[in-house]
Structures are given as structure tokens and as C-alpha cells.
Amino acid sequence: MDFIKKGIYDNKIVAIIRGIGADRILDTVAALREGGIKLLEVTFNQEDESKALETLKCLELIKGKYGDEVYLGAGTVMTEEQVVKAVEAGAEYIISPNVDIKVIQKTKELGKLSLPGAFTPSEMARAYNAGADIVKLFPAGILGTEYIKALLAPLSHIPVVAVGGVNVDNVDQFIKAGAIGVGVGGSLVDKKAIYAGEYDKIKQVAQAYVEKLQMD
């Protein structure tokens, strides 16, 4: 898993792919890759079992076509069963919006990277002590970069990926505040653009994010 962890440290920007069907997923990934983004998080929809199955299909398609050319993760993973299914479908890291010790333990049991979501110092420490490799600070945009700096003063040993409220204008500020990476959803993986076939737009926005971090 050191390979995946290094990939997150090196590439920094995780594209959060939410609500994109299997019919559009490979074109979406192609556009993101052309824009320089290799870290992918395909999220589960917890409301609908059929959509959860679609997530697994998307993971399988991406893994089948791109293999180790991308760093593939599953997001919004809430149960041990979803951990198992996501890993079987090709996910190398498991991301959650919350701290669930059983989900963390199942992820580590299967030899994958664990990124649970936490917001407070206590949640962060609990997740890390339970075996999390990296903690997803979520929602990071609510209190902003000053909150991240304050958190990481005593908890600098815990690597953090900031998710929520990240855009192309402020992405560098989250890294400067101490996050090792960021997760970006709709402002990068624009569902409307994708279903309009505007993949060039996805590529251009991806490039803008990558270039923003390269400038610093």
C-alpha cells in the first residue's frame, strides 16, 4: 500500500466521481487523465441499491481498462460489506465520510489503504489510532484553512486530505495549510458537462487544478 500512499502524496488531487453512470465513466476518466489527474474516488450512493451496483460496475470498468495507470478508490463506503465488494471490484483505497472502526479494520484486513472522514481532533485521533492511513478532513471548507492549521499543530503526525469547499481558486491554500492532498467533487467532475458530452471542459478544469498546485 506504500505505492498508493505515495501516489496520494505525489498527485494530491482526488477526483470525486459521484453520480456518473457506467456508460460515461471511461470517457470521464479519460478526460481527467488527459488533464493530469490520476487519483479517482468513485462513490457509493447509500440511498439506492441499484446505484450501489452501478458504482461497483464503474470500478470494474476503470480497473479493467486502466489497471495501475490510475489510483482507484471507492468513496462513501459505510459498511464492511461495501468494503469487501469495492475491493473485489478493484478499489485500492477506501474512503468514508465518517469514522467507523469496523470499516477501517476491514479495509486494513484486506490490505488496502484506509481514509475515513473526521472533523474534530478527537475523531481524527480515534480514526488514526484504529489504523487509518490518512484521515479525510470533512467538511474542510466549513471552517477553512485556519481550522486545518489549528488542528495540525498538535496532530501533525496524522496525514490529512481536505474534502469539501475545495475549488480551483483555493486548492493551493489547503495544501499550504498542511493537507497532503484534497478531494474535489462537482467543481471538477461536472456531471452536467459530462452528460452534455463536454469532456474537453473536464480536461481543462483538471489541468487548471494541476497547474495551480504546480505554481507553488
Side-chain angles (χ1 to χ4, degrees), residues 103-151:
V103 167
I104 295 170
Q105 291 174 339
K106 178 58 70 173
T107 301
K108 298 310 297 176
E109 179 186 317
L110 296 176
K112 303 304 177 184
L113 206 72
S114 172
L115 288 92
F119 187 63
T120 68
S122 294
E123 288 175 339
M124 285 176 61
R126 182 167 176 257
Y128 195 67
N129 290 338
D133 298 281
I134 299 168
V135 172
K136 179 179 87 169
L137 181 60
F138 174 78
I142 298 296
L143 297 179
T145 55
E146 292 303 314
Y147 181 64
I148 296 175
K149 290 176 186 176
L151 276 180

Side-chain angles (χ1 to χ4, degrees), residues 19-37:
I20 306 301
D23 59 329
R24 304 276 175 158
I25 193 67
L26 291 179
D27 287 335
T28 300
V29 172
L32 289 166
R33 286 184 74 247
E34 287 170 13
I37 291 182

Side-chain angles (χ1 to χ4, degrees), residues 64-78:
K65 179 161 185 178
Y66 291 106
D68 292 337
E69 294 176 30
V70 297
Y71 300 91
L72 183 59
T76 319
V77 180
M78 303 287 289

Side-chain angles (χ1 to χ4, degrees), residues 41-57 59-60 72-98 100 102-108 110 112-113:
E41 172 191 341
V42 183
T43 69
F44 278 96
N45 183 324
Q46 299 294 340
E47 298 177 0
D48 189 321
E49 179 62 26
S50 66
K51 289 180 180 176
L53 292 174
E54 188 82 357
T55 296
L56 296 173
K57 186 176 180 181
L59 288 167
E60 289 171 353
L72 183 59
T76 319
V77 180
M78 303 287 289
T79 67
E80 293 174 88
E81 182 184 13
Q82 286 177 343
V83 173
V84 173
K85 288 182 176 179
V87 169
E88 288 174 347
E92 296 290 347
Y93 49 99
I94 300 296
I95 306 175
S96 302
N98 63 322
D100 186 312
K102 289 183 178 179
V103 167
I104 295 170
Q105 291 174 339
K106 178 58 70 173
T107 301
K108 298 310 297 176
L110 296 176
K112 303 304 177 184
L113 206 72

